[in-house]
Amino acid sequence: MAEPEAYSADALLRTLDDALQACRVPEGARLAVAVSGGPDSLALALLLHERHDIVAISVDHGLRPEAASEVKTVAEIMHKCGIPHIALKWQKSKPESNIQASARVARYRLIGERCVAEKISHLLTAHHQDDQAETVLMRLARGSGVYGLAGMNMVSEVPGVPEVKLIRPLLDVPKAALKAYLRARHIDWIEDPSNKNTDFDRVKIRQFLETPPLEGFSGARLAETAKRLRRSRDALEHYEREWTARSVREEEPGYLLLEKDQLTAAPEDIILRGISSICRAFSGADYVPRMEKVERLLMSLRDDGFSGATLYGTQFLPGGEGSVLICREPAACTTRANLTAHQIWDKRFEISVDGATTALEIGGLGEAGWQMAVTKWPEVRETPIPYAVRLGLPAIFERGQLRALPHMGYSELSNAALHLSRKTLIRSKK
């Protein structure tokens, strides 16, 4: 890896161009850049502006008194450079613990939703080589395996907003190079005081890397290790998809049947990864469950006396004829929300409504809802949908009373027509 001084503006632009091409970002596409005012995001915005149509987006989390003025400063810098800027604010009440993680989730959600509104499908962030090294060490400390130690992906989805691709084009670039680029352009940046707060684990890791006990603990070396492990992860994912394709069958209206004899038909790590991915698909979470929990689940699934288990909002039940039935855990989707003209429910179903939605709510059917259903429509008992699956399907309520079961074709809504589609649970084999 070249020294930071070797990263001229031209070299940085070439690195950026190569990364965008590798990430399959369409030429001429309008891009969003998350800009906090730190050296990393400022440098990324200015570099991109030289060749691309971009909009900078900043978020005031309201966690520090100076946050609003920092967003204003970013807006001024962007204006001077001719870059359109959007300022957003996190309005909700702030948590008392796990603040950084909560702020990160809120930032991605706010920016991602604004990207959708602006018809922008690619959000770029300035995560760099040093960030990658810190991520690897933090995950190592938590006992992560190959997947965790592979670090951050260059391409992923914006958490909570899957319509927008999240691109990290600077993972091979050290932070010092970005600072050098800004100095050469005589542009100041904002220093976030939380970057020196040792109450946060990432800050402790950063300080450790500044004076490592061994030469190999350098940002460049650790980032290179992550890149190699990503190749290993890609190979594992290939075989995981193959195992899933031959072991799991997807059924309507959105549940799986897993053949029990396939629970020993591949290397254990492949099977564990397959089960982890299934859990993530049902839960809608950004990450898979902890490996030790998946290991315990696999032991239970292999047991001849297996009678059922839940993990990560996913329910596993005996399916008959040597199979395991896998569905959404009903208790994980009972919360009801106001029904709107268009929404994603439980990250599994897309629902559109033609007509009035006043006083209508959507939530999982649940046992109480099922009892209402059999009272209203006795013939619903004849549905071939397994009982556990029924309880986790979306249902429409009005003032606590069941009004519609869209998947089963029952509705008392005379002024509203429902249209549902669901996401595919199993990734296709590549």
Side-chain angles (χ1 to χ4, degrees), residues 7 12-13 15-17 19-20 23 39-45 47-48 124-132 154 167-175 178 223:
Y7 277 89
L12 285 170
L13 284 168
T15 299
L16 192 54
D17 287 343
L20 294 181
C23 295
D40 326 326
S41 58
L42 278 178
L44 176 60
L47 286 163
L48 284 167
L124 279 66
T125 64
H127 294 100
H128 46 72
Q129 186 183 86
D130 301 59
D131 292 325
Q132 186 73 293
M154 191 173 284
I167 309 295
R168 301 181 179 95
L170 299 179
L171 290 179
D172 289 331
V173 178
K175 185 184 185 81
L178 301 173

PDB file of all heavy atoms in Angstrom, residues 7 12-13 15-17 19-20 23 39-45 47-48 124-132 154 167-175 178 223:
ATOM      1  N   TYR A   7      -0.677   9.639  -2.477  1.00  0.00           N
ATOM      2  CA  TYR A   7      -2.038   9.772  -2.955  1.00  0.00           C
ATOM      3  C   TYR A   7      -2.302  11.210  -3.395  1.00  0.00           C
ATOM      4  O   TYR A   7      -2.862  12.021  -2.663  1.00  0.00           O
ATOM      5  CB  TYR A   7      -3.028   9.360  -1.856  1.00  0.00           C
ATOM      6  CG  TYR A   7      -3.258   7.878  -1.787  1.00  0.00           C
ATOM      7  CD1 TYR A   7      -2.455   7.076  -0.996  1.00  0.00           C
ATOM      8  CD2 TYR A   7      -4.259   7.277  -2.529  1.00  0.00           C
ATOM      9  CE1 TYR A   7      -2.652   5.709  -0.935  1.00  0.00           C
ATOM     10  CE2 TYR A   7      -4.470   5.909  -2.478  1.00  0.00           C
ATOM     11  CZ  TYR A   7      -3.659   5.132  -1.679  1.00  0.00           C
ATOM     12  OH  TYR A   7      -3.859   3.780  -1.627  1.00  0.00           O
ATOM     13  N   LEU A  12      -6.131   9.642  -6.141  1.00  0.00           N
ATOM     14  CA  LEU A  12      -7.361   9.411  -5.400  1.00  0.00           C
ATOM     15  C   LEU A  12      -8.555   9.291  -6.345  1.00  0.00           C
ATOM     16  O   LEU A  12      -9.430   8.448  -6.154  1.00  0.00           O
ATOM     17  CB  LEU A  12      -7.595  10.546  -4.399  1.00  0.00           C
ATOM     18  CG  LEU A  12      -6.724  10.525  -3.142  1.00  0.00           C
ATOM     19  CD1 LEU A  12      -6.889  11.819  -2.361  1.00  0.00           C
ATOM     20  CD2 LEU A  12      -7.064   9.329  -2.262  1.00  0.00           C
ATOM     21  N   LEU A  13      -8.563  10.139  -7.374  1.00  0.00           N
ATOM     22  CA  LEU A  13      -9.654  10.078  -8.344  1.00  0.00           C
ATOM     23  C   LEU A  13      -9.651   8.758  -9.105  1.00  0.00           C
ATOM     24  O   LEU A  13     -10.710   8.174  -9.362  1.00  0.00           O
ATOM     25  CB  LEU A  13      -9.553  11.251  -9.323  1.00  0.00           C
ATOM     26  CG  LEU A  13     -10.000  12.609  -8.760  1.00  0.00           C
ATOM     27  CD1 LEU A  13      -9.594  13.734  -9.701  1.00  0.00           C
ATOM     28  CD2 LEU A  13     -11.509  12.625  -8.540  1.00  0.00           C
ATOM     29  N   THR A  15      -8.468   5.901  -7.964  1.00  0.00           N
ATOM     30  CA  THR A  15      -8.929   4.897  -6.999  1.00  0.00           C
ATOM     31  C   THR A  15     -10.440   4.939  -6.859  1.00  0.00           C
ATOM     32  O   THR A  15     -11.118   3.898  -6.823  1.00  0.00           O
ATOM     33  CB  THR A  15      -8.279   5.146  -5.623  1.00  0.00           C
ATOM     34  OG1 THR A  15      -6.854   5.036  -5.746  1.00  0.00           O
ATOM     35  CG2 THR A  15      -8.776   4.149  -4.588  1.00  0.00           C
ATOM     36  N   LEU A  16     -10.984   6.141  -6.814  1.00  0.00           N
ATOM     37  CA  LEU A  16     -12.421   6.308  -6.680  1.00  0.00           C
ATOM     38  C   LEU A  16     -13.148   5.800  -7.923  1.00  0.00           C
ATOM     39  O   LEU A  16     -14.159   5.086  -7.825  1.00  0.00           O
ATOM     40  CB  LEU A  16     -12.730   7.784  -6.439  1.00  0.00           C
ATOM     41  CG  LEU A  16     -14.140   8.165  -6.000  1.00  0.00           C
ATOM     42  CD1 LEU A  16     -14.562   7.399  -4.759  1.00  0.00           C
ATOM     43  CD2 LEU A  16     -14.207   9.664  -5.751  1.00  0.00           C
ATOM     44  N   ASP A  17     -12.639   6.142  -9.094  1.00  0.00           N
ATOM     45  CA  ASP A  17     -13.254   5.673 -10.351  1.00  0.00           C
ATOM     46  C   ASP A  17     -13.261   4.151 -10.420  1.00  0.00           C
ATOM     47  O   ASP A  17     -14.262   3.532 -10.807  1.00  0.00           O
ATOM     48  CB  ASP A  17     -12.503   6.241 -11.557  1.00  0.00           C
ATOM     49  CG  ASP A  17     -12.772   7.726 -11.758  1.00  0.00           C
ATOM     50  OD1 ASP A  17     -13.753   8.237 -11.193  1.00  0.00           O
ATOM     51  OD2 ASP A  17     -11.971   8.372 -12.470  1.00  0.00           O
ATOM     52  N   ALA A  19     -13.172   2.059  -7.940  1.00  0.00           N
ATOM     53  CA  ALA A  19     -14.090   1.509  -6.946  1.00  0.00           C
ATOM     54  C   ALA A  19     -15.541   1.612  -7.417  1.00  0.00           C
ATOM     55  O   ALA A  19     -16.324   0.662  -7.285  1.00  0.00           O
ATOM     56  CB  ALA A  19     -13.921   2.245  -5.616  1.00  0.00           C
ATOM     57  N   LEU A  20     -15.914   2.747  -8.003  1.00  0.00           N
ATOM     58  CA  LEU A  20     -17.289   2.910  -8.476  1.00  0.00           C
ATOM     59  C   LEU A  20     -17.592   1.943  -9.609  1.00  0.00           C
ATOM     60  O   LEU A  20     -18.701   1.394  -9.695  1.00  0.00           O
ATOM     61  CB  LEU A  20     -17.522   4.351  -8.928  1.00  0.00           C
ATOM     62  CG  LEU A  20     -17.467   5.418  -7.826  1.00  0.00           C
ATOM     63  CD1 LEU A  20     -17.728   6.798  -8.409  1.00  0.00           C
ATOM     64  CD2 LEU A  20     -18.467   5.119  -6.723  1.00  0.00           C
ATOM     65  N   CYS A  23     -18.113  -1.420  -8.149  1.00  0.00           N
ATOM     66  CA  CYS A  23     -19.402  -1.479  -7.458  1.00  0.00           C
ATOM     67  C   CYS A  23     -20.579  -1.373  -8.419  1.00  0.00           C
ATOM     68  O   CYS A  23     -21.739  -1.356  -7.982  1.00  0.00           O
ATOM     69  CB  CYS A  23     -19.486  -0.350  -6.422  1.00  0.00           C
ATOM     70  SG  CYS A  23     -18.302  -0.496  -5.069  1.00  0.00           S
ATOM     71  N   PRO A  39     -12.928  15.058   7.960  1.00  0.00           N
ATOM     72  CA  PRO A  39     -12.062  15.054   6.774  1.00  0.00           C
ATOM     73  C   PRO A  39     -12.419  13.983   5.761  1.00  0.00           C
ATOM     74  O   PRO A  39     -12.310  14.199   4.550  1.00  0.00           O
ATOM     75  CB  PRO A  39     -10.664  14.835   7.355  1.00  0.00           C
ATOM     76  CG  PRO A  39     -10.895  14.176   8.683  1.00  0.00           C
ATOM     77  CD  PRO A  39     -12.170  14.770   9.193  1.00  0.00           C
ATOM     78  N   ASP A  40     -12.892  12.834   6.228  1.00  0.00           N
ATOM     79  CA  ASP A  40     -13.171  11.714   5.329  1.00  0.00           C
ATOM     80  C   ASP A  40     -14.319  12.055   4.377  1.00  0.00           C
ATOM     81  O   ASP A  40     -14.188  11.940   3.156  1.00  0.00           O
ATOM     82  CB  ASP A  40     -13.524  10.457   6.135  1.00  0.00           C
ATOM     83  CG  ASP A  40     -12.760  10.368   7.434  1.00  0.00           C
ATOM     84  OD1 ASP A  40     -11.603  10.815   7.462  1.00  0.00           O
ATOM     85  OD2 ASP A  40     -13.327   9.864   8.417  1.00  0.00           O
ATOM     86  N   SER A  41     -15.445  12.466   4.952  1.00  0.00           N
ATOM     87  CA  SER A  41     -16.621  12.716   4.122  1.00  0.00           C
ATOM     88  C   SER A  41     -16.469  13.982   3.282  1.00  0.00           C
ATOM     89  O   SER A  41     -16.964  14.040   2.145  1.00  0.00           O
ATOM     90  CB  SER A  41     -17.879  12.785   4.987  1.00  0.00           C
ATOM     91  OG  SER A  41     -17.769  13.787   5.978  1.00  0.00           O
ATOM     92  N   LEU A  42     -15.801  14.989   3.813  1.00  0.00           N
ATOM     93  CA  LEU A  42     -15.560  16.192   3.009  1.00  0.00           C
ATOM     94  C   LEU A  42     -14.712  15.852   1.791  1.00  0.00           C
ATOM     95  O   LEU A  42     -15.007  16.283   0.666  1.00  0.00           O
ATOM     96  CB  LEU A  42     -14.856  17.258   3.849  1.00  0.00           C
ATOM     97  CG  LEU A  42     -15.717  18.118   4.767  1.00  0.00           C
ATOM     98  CD1 LEU A  42     -14.844  19.077   5.555  1.00  0.00           C
ATOM     99  CD2 LEU A  42     -16.763  18.884   3.979  1.00  0.00           C
ATOM    100  N   ALA A  43     -13.645  15.089   2.005  1.00  0.00           N
ATOM    101  CA  ALA A  43     -12.767  14.716   0.888  1.00  0.00           C
ATOM    102  C   ALA A  43     -13.533  13.910  -0.154  1.00  0.00           C
ATOM    103  O   ALA A  43     -13.401  14.137  -1.357  1.00  0.00           O
ATOM    104  CB  ALA A  43     -11.572  13.926   1.403  1.00  0.00           C
ATOM    105  N   LEU A  44     -14.363  12.959   0.293  1.00  0.00           N
ATOM    106  CA  LEU A  44     -15.134  12.150  -0.645  1.00  0.00           C
ATOM    107  C   LEU A  44     -16.073  13.024  -1.473  1.00  0.00           C
ATOM    108  O   LEU A  44     -16.162  12.878  -2.708  1.00  0.00           O
ATOM    109  CB  LEU A  44     -15.937  11.091   0.107  1.00  0.00           C
ATOM    110  CG  LEU A  44     -16.872  10.231  -0.749  1.00  0.00           C
ATOM    111  CD1 LEU A  44     -16.082   9.463  -1.810  1.00  0.00           C
ATOM    112  CD2 LEU A  44     -17.671   9.266   0.124  1.00  0.00           C
ATOM    113  N   ALA A  45     -16.767  13.958  -0.822  1.00  0.00           N
ATOM    114  CA  ALA A  45     -17.700  14.821  -1.545  1.00  0.00           C
ATOM    115  C   ALA A  45     -16.977  15.661  -2.592  1.00  0.00           C
ATOM    116  O   ALA A  45     -17.436  15.791  -3.730  1.00  0.00           O
ATOM    117  CB  ALA A  45     -18.450  15.719  -0.557  1.00  0.00           C
ATOM    118  N   LEU A  47     -14.025  15.107  -4.021  1.00  0.00           N
ATOM    119  CA  LEU A  47     -13.501  14.251  -5.092  1.00  0.00           C
ATOM    120  C   LEU A  47     -14.613  13.853  -6.062  1.00  0.00           C
ATOM    121  O   LEU A  47     -14.448  13.919  -7.287  1.00  0.00           O
ATOM    122  CB  LEU A  47     -12.852  13.007  -4.485  1.00  0.00           C
ATOM    123  CG  LEU A  47     -11.486  13.204  -3.812  1.00  0.00           C
ATOM    124  CD1 LEU A  47     -11.165  12.014  -2.913  1.00  0.00           C
ATOM    125  CD2 LEU A  47     -10.389  13.390  -4.859  1.00  0.00           C
ATOM    126  N   LEU A  48     -15.736  13.443  -5.535  1.00  0.00           N
ATOM    127  CA  LEU A  48     -16.843  13.024  -6.393  1.00  0.00           C
ATOM    128  C   LEU A  48     -17.359  14.186  -7.233  1.00  0.00           C
ATOM    129  O   LEU A  48     -17.735  14.006  -8.399  1.00  0.00           O
ATOM    130  CB  LEU A  48     -17.974  12.454  -5.541  1.00  0.00           C
ATOM    131  CG  LEU A  48     -17.774  11.052  -4.985  1.00  0.00           C
ATOM    132  CD1 LEU A  48     -18.814  10.749  -3.925  1.00  0.00           C
ATOM    133  CD2 LEU A  48     -17.837  10.014  -6.101  1.00  0.00           C
ATOM    134  N   LEU A 124     -23.197   7.090  -0.948  1.00  0.00           N
ATOM    135  CA  LEU A 124     -21.775   6.843  -0.731  1.00  0.00           C
ATOM    136  C   LEU A 124     -21.351   7.356   0.636  1.00  0.00           C
ATOM    137  O   LEU A 124     -21.746   8.456   1.040  1.00  0.00           O
ATOM    138  CB  LEU A 124     -20.929   7.514  -1.817  1.00  0.00           C
ATOM    139  CG  LEU A 124     -20.811   6.747  -3.146  1.00  0.00           C
ATOM    140  CD1 LEU A 124     -22.147   6.652  -3.864  1.00  0.00           C
ATOM    141  CD2 LEU A 124     -19.770   7.391  -4.049  1.00  0.00           C
ATOM    142  N   THR A 125     -20.585   6.550   1.339  1.00  0.00           N
ATOM    143  CA  THR A 125     -20.017   6.970   2.615  1.00  0.00           C
ATOM    144  C   THR A 125     -18.500   6.891   2.536  1.00  0.00           C
ATOM    145  O   THR A 125     -17.943   6.199   1.691  1.00  0.00           O
ATOM    146  CB  THR A 125     -20.513   6.096   3.782  1.00  0.00           C
ATOM    147  OG1 THR A 125     -20.042   4.746   3.596  1.00  0.00           O
ATOM    148  CG2 THR A 125     -22.032   6.103   3.858  1.00  0.00           C
ATOM    149  N   ALA A 126     -17.841   7.589   3.458  1.00  0.00           N
ATOM    150  CA  ALA A 126     -16.384   7.754   3.379  1.00  0.00           C
ATOM    151  C   ALA A 126     -15.629   6.807   4.299  1.00  0.00           C
ATOM    152  O   ALA A 126     -14.527   7.126   4.752  1.00  0.00           O
ATOM    153  CB  ALA A 126     -16.010   9.211   3.685  1.00  0.00           C
ATOM    154  N   HIS A 127     -16.192   5.633   4.592  1.00  0.00           N
ATOM    155  CA  HIS A 127     -15.439   4.654   5.379  1.00  0.00           C
ATOM    156  C   HIS A 127     -14.132   4.337   4.648  1.00  0.00           C
ATOM    157  O   HIS A 127     -14.135   4.065   3.450  1.00  0.00           O
ATOM    158  CB  HIS A 127     -16.255   3.371   5.561  1.00  0.00           C
ATOM    159  CG  HIS A 127     -17.481   3.571   6.396  1.00  0.00           C
ATOM    160  ND1 HIS A 127     -18.735   3.724   5.864  1.00  0.00           N
ATOM    161  CD2 HIS A 127     -17.627   3.662   7.739  1.00  0.00           C
ATOM    162  CE1 HIS A 127     -19.622   3.880   6.841  1.00  0.00           C
ATOM    163  NE2 HIS A 127     -18.968   3.858   7.981  1.00  0.00           N
ATOM    164  N   HIS A 128     -13.037   4.356   5.358  1.00  0.00           N
ATOM    165  CA  HIS A 128     -11.720   4.233   4.732  1.00  0.00           C
ATOM    166  C   HIS A 128     -10.931   3.075   5.345  1.00  0.00           C
ATOM    167  O   HIS A 128     -11.476   2.293   6.149  1.00  0.00           O
ATOM    168  CB  HIS A 128     -10.941   5.543   4.859  1.00  0.00           C
ATOM    169  CG  HIS A 128     -10.990   6.136   6.242  1.00  0.00           C
ATOM    170  ND1 HIS A 128     -10.321   5.588   7.309  1.00  0.00           N
ATOM    171  CD2 HIS A 128     -11.657   7.208   6.734  1.00  0.00           C
ATOM    172  CE1 HIS A 128     -10.553   6.302   8.401  1.00  0.00           C
ATOM    173  NE2 HIS A 128     -11.368   7.292   8.079  1.00  0.00           N
ATOM    174  N   GLN A 129      -9.681   2.994   4.956  1.00  0.00           N
ATOM    175  CA  GLN A 129      -8.840   1.869   5.366  1.00  0.00           C
ATOM    176  C   GLN A 129      -8.715   1.773   6.892  1.00  0.00           C
ATOM    177  O   GLN A 129      -8.778   0.669   7.449  1.00  0.00           O
ATOM    178  CB  GLN A 129      -7.459   2.034   4.733  1.00  0.00           C
ATOM    179  CG  GLN A 129      -6.518   0.873   4.938  1.00  0.00           C
ATOM    180  CD  GLN A 129      -5.166   1.169   4.336  1.00  0.00           C
ATOM    181  OE1 GLN A 129      -4.311   1.767   4.971  1.00  0.00           O
ATOM    182  NE2 GLN A 129      -4.990   0.781   3.078  1.00  0.00           N
ATOM    183  N   ASP A 130      -8.558   2.898   7.554  1.00  0.00           N
ATOM    184  CA  ASP A 130      -8.429   2.889   9.016  1.00  0.00           C
ATOM    185  C   ASP A 130      -9.714   2.397   9.679  1.00  0.00           C
ATOM    186  O   ASP A 130      -9.672   1.650  10.667  1.00  0.00           O
ATOM    187  CB  ASP A 130      -8.089   4.294   9.525  1.00  0.00           C
ATOM    188  CG  ASP A 130      -6.806   4.842   8.939  1.00  0.00           C
ATOM    189  OD1 ASP A 130      -6.728   4.950   7.696  1.00  0.00           O
ATOM    190  OD2 ASP A 130      -5.883   5.176   9.699  1.00  0.00           O
ATOM    191  N   ASP A 131     -10.865   2.826   9.132  1.00  0.00           N
ATOM    192  CA  ASP A 131     -12.144   2.337   9.661  1.00  0.00           C
ATOM    193  C   ASP A 131     -12.253   0.822   9.513  1.00  0.00           C
ATOM    194  O   ASP A 131     -12.745   0.129  10.412  1.00  0.00           O
ATOM    195  CB  ASP A 131     -13.312   2.989   8.910  1.00  0.00           C
ATOM    196  CG  ASP A 131     -13.439   4.475   9.182  1.00  0.00           C
ATOM    197  OD1 ASP A 131     -13.166   4.891  10.318  1.00  0.00           O
ATOM    198  OD2 ASP A 131     -13.801   5.213   8.255  1.00  0.00           O
ATOM    199  N   GLN A 132     -11.804   0.316   8.368  1.00  0.00           N
ATOM    200  CA  GLN A 132     -11.856  -1.122   8.127  1.00  0.00           C
ATOM    201  C   GLN A 132     -10.998  -1.875   9.147  1.00  0.00           C
ATOM    202  O   GLN A 132     -11.418  -2.903   9.699  1.00  0.00           O
ATOM    203  CB  GLN A 132     -11.391  -1.431   6.700  1.00  0.00           C
ATOM    204  CG  GLN A 132     -11.521  -2.873   6.282  1.00  0.00           C
ATOM    205  CD  GLN A 132     -12.947  -3.295   6.028  1.00  0.00           C
ATOM    206  OE1 GLN A 132     -13.757  -3.350   6.960  1.00  0.00           O
ATOM    207  NE2 GLN A 132     -13.272  -3.600   4.770  1.00  0.00           N
ATOM    208  N   MET A 154     -17.825  -3.350   0.398  1.00  0.00           N
ATOM    209  CA  MET A 154     -17.809  -2.143  -0.412  1.00  0.00           C
ATOM    210  C   MET A 154     -19.212  -1.816  -0.913  1.00  0.00           C
ATOM    211  O   MET A 154     -19.551  -0.654  -1.109  1.00  0.00           O
ATOM    212  CB  MET A 154     -16.840  -2.298  -1.586  1.00  0.00           C
ATOM    213  CG  MET A 154     -16.557  -1.000  -2.322  1.00  0.00           C
ATOM    214  SD  MET A 154     -15.266  -1.146  -3.585  1.00  0.00           S
ATOM    215  CE  MET A 154     -13.800  -1.182  -2.544  1.00  0.00           C
ATOM    216  N   ILE A 167     -22.576   2.399  -0.803  1.00  0.00           N
ATOM    217  CA  ILE A 167     -21.279   2.210  -1.452  1.00  0.00           C
ATOM    218  C   ILE A 167     -20.191   2.818  -0.576  1.00  0.00           C
ATOM    219  O   ILE A 167     -20.287   3.969  -0.154  1.00  0.00           O
ATOM    220  CB  ILE A 167     -21.250   2.882  -2.843  1.00  0.00           C
ATOM    221  CG1 ILE A 167     -22.465   2.462  -3.676  1.00  0.00           C
ATOM    222  CG2 ILE A 167     -19.942   2.558  -3.560  1.00  0.00           C
ATOM    223  CD1 ILE A 167     -22.518   1.017  -4.037  1.00  0.00           C
ATOM    224  N   ARG A 168     -19.137   2.033  -0.310  1.00  0.00           N
ATOM    225  CA  ARG A 168     -17.979   2.511   0.454  1.00  0.00           C
ATOM    226  C   ARG A 168     -16.750   2.441  -0.467  1.00  0.00           C
ATOM    227  O   ARG A 168     -16.018   1.447  -0.455  1.00  0.00           O
ATOM    228  CB  ARG A 168     -17.763   1.650   1.690  1.00  0.00           C
ATOM    229  CG  ARG A 168     -18.953   1.616   2.657  1.00  0.00           C
ATOM    230  CD  ARG A 168     -18.630   0.749   3.869  1.00  0.00           C
ATOM    231  NE  ARG A 168     -19.701   0.696   4.838  1.00  0.00           N
ATOM    232  CZ  ARG A 168     -20.631  -0.243   4.900  1.00  0.00           C
ATOM    233  NH1 ARG A 168     -20.627  -1.229   3.992  1.00  0.00           N
ATOM    234  NH2 ARG A 168     -21.564  -0.213   5.829  1.00  0.00           N
ATOM    235  N   PRO A 169     -16.496   3.476  -1.252  1.00  0.00           N
ATOM    236  CA  PRO A 169     -15.448   3.388  -2.278  1.00  0.00           C
ATOM    237  C   PRO A 169     -14.028   3.655  -1.787  1.00  0.00           C
ATOM    238  O   PRO A 169     -13.083   3.539  -2.561  1.00  0.00           O
ATOM    239  CB  PRO A 169     -15.878   4.470  -3.279  1.00  0.00           C
ATOM    240  CG  PRO A 169     -16.547   5.496  -2.432  1.00  0.00           C
ATOM    241  CD  PRO A 169     -17.246   4.743  -1.338  1.00  0.00           C
ATOM    242  N   LEU A 170     -13.863   4.014  -0.506  1.00  0.00           N
ATOM    243  CA  LEU A 170     -12.540   4.424  -0.015  1.00  0.00           C
ATOM    244  C   LEU A 170     -11.906   3.406   0.932  1.00  0.00           C
ATOM    245  O   LEU A 170     -10.982   3.753   1.669  1.00  0.00           O
ATOM    246  CB  LEU A 170     -12.650   5.778   0.704  1.00  0.00           C
ATOM    247  CG  LEU A 170     -13.146   6.959  -0.127  1.00  0.00           C
ATOM    248  CD1 LEU A 170     -13.218   8.214   0.747  1.00  0.00           C
ATOM    249  CD2 LEU A 170     -12.242   7.203  -1.328  1.00  0.00           C
ATOM    250  N   LEU A 171     -12.361   2.167   0.918  1.00  0.00           N
ATOM    251  CA  LEU A 171     -11.860   1.200   1.893  1.00  0.00           C
ATOM    252  C   LEU A 171     -10.385   0.877   1.719  1.00  0.00           C
ATOM    253  O   LEU A 171      -9.765   0.326   2.634  1.00  0.00           O
ATOM    254  CB  LEU A 171     -12.687  -0.092   1.823  1.00  0.00           C
ATOM    255  CG  LEU A 171     -14.128   0.012   2.332  1.00  0.00           C
ATOM    256  CD1 LEU A 171     -14.843  -1.322   2.194  1.00  0.00           C
ATOM    257  CD2 LEU A 171     -14.165   0.494   3.780  1.00  0.00           C
ATOM    258  N   ASP A 172      -9.811   1.196   0.566  1.00  0.00           N
ATOM    259  CA  ASP A 172      -8.374   0.970   0.353  1.00  0.00           C
ATOM    260  C   ASP A 172      -7.552   2.241   0.547  1.00  0.00           C
ATOM    261  O   ASP A 172      -6.344   2.240   0.295  1.00  0.00           O
ATOM    262  CB  ASP A 172      -8.127   0.431  -1.065  1.00  0.00           C
ATOM    263  CG  ASP A 172      -8.616  -1.004  -1.230  1.00  0.00           C
ATOM    264  OD1 ASP A 172      -8.625  -1.734  -0.225  1.00  0.00           O
ATOM    265  OD2 ASP A 172      -8.994  -1.381  -2.352  1.00  0.00           O
ATOM    266  N   VAL A 173      -8.183   3.300   1.001  1.00  0.00           N
ATOM    267  CA  VAL A 173      -7.497   4.593   1.130  1.00  0.00           C
ATOM    268  C   VAL A 173      -7.312   4.933   2.605  1.00  0.00           C
ATOM    269  O   VAL A 173      -8.273   4.942   3.374  1.00  0.00           O
ATOM    270  CB  VAL A 173      -8.304   5.714   0.446  1.00  0.00           C
ATOM    271  CG1 VAL A 173      -7.614   7.069   0.628  1.00  0.00           C
ATOM    272  CG2 VAL A 173      -8.495   5.405  -1.037  1.00  0.00           C
ATOM    273  N   PRO A 174      -6.081   5.238   3.052  1.00  0.00           N
ATOM    274  CA  PRO A 174      -5.870   5.610   4.454  1.00  0.00           C
ATOM    275  C   PRO A 174      -6.406   7.007   4.755  1.00  0.00           C
ATOM    276  O   PRO A 174      -6.454   7.880   3.880  1.00  0.00           O
ATOM    277  CB  PRO A 174      -4.349   5.568   4.607  1.00  0.00           C
ATOM    278  CG  PRO A 174      -3.818   5.764   3.230  1.00  0.00           C
ATOM    279  CD  PRO A 174      -4.818   5.142   2.299  1.00  0.00           C
ATOM    280  N   LYS A 175      -6.794   7.228   5.992  1.00  0.00           N
ATOM    281  CA  LYS A 175      -7.346   8.520   6.412  1.00  0.00           C
ATOM    282  C   LYS A 175      -6.351   9.644   6.175  1.00  0.00           C
ATOM    283  O   LYS A 175      -6.738  10.754   5.779  1.00  0.00           O
ATOM    284  CB  LYS A 175      -7.703   8.455   7.901  1.00  0.00           C
ATOM    285  CG  LYS A 175      -8.400   9.691   8.453  1.00  0.00           C
ATOM    286  CD  LYS A 175      -8.626   9.555   9.941  1.00  0.00           C
ATOM    287  CE  LYS A 175      -9.428  10.720  10.499  1.00  0.00           C
ATOM    288  NZ  LYS A 175     -10.868  10.557  10.283  1.00  0.00           N
ATOM    289  N   LEU A 178      -6.645  11.314   2.845  1.00  0.00           N
ATOM    290  CA  LEU A 178      -7.788  12.203   2.684  1.00  0.00           C
ATOM    291  C   LEU A 178      -7.522  13.553   3.343  1.00  0.00           C
ATOM    292  O   LEU A 178      -7.888  14.614   2.812  1.00  0.00           O
ATOM    293  CB  LEU A 178      -9.036  11.548   3.270  1.00  0.00           C
ATOM    294  CG  LEU A 178      -9.403  10.196   2.646  1.00  0.00           C
ATOM    295  CD1 LEU A 178     -10.553   9.543   3.408  1.00  0.00           C
ATOM    296  CD2 LEU A 178      -9.763  10.362   1.169  1.00  0.00           C
ATOM    297  N   ALA A 223      -6.546  -4.180   6.912  1.00  0.00           N
ATOM    298  CA  ALA A 223      -7.504  -4.020   5.814  1.00  0.00           C
ATOM    299  C   ALA A 223      -7.241  -5.051   4.723  1.00  0.00           C
ATOM    300  O   ALA A 223      -8.178  -5.577   4.111  1.00  0.00           O
ATOM    301  CB  ALA A 223      -7.416  -2.608   5.253  1.00  0.00           C
TER     302      ALA A 223
END
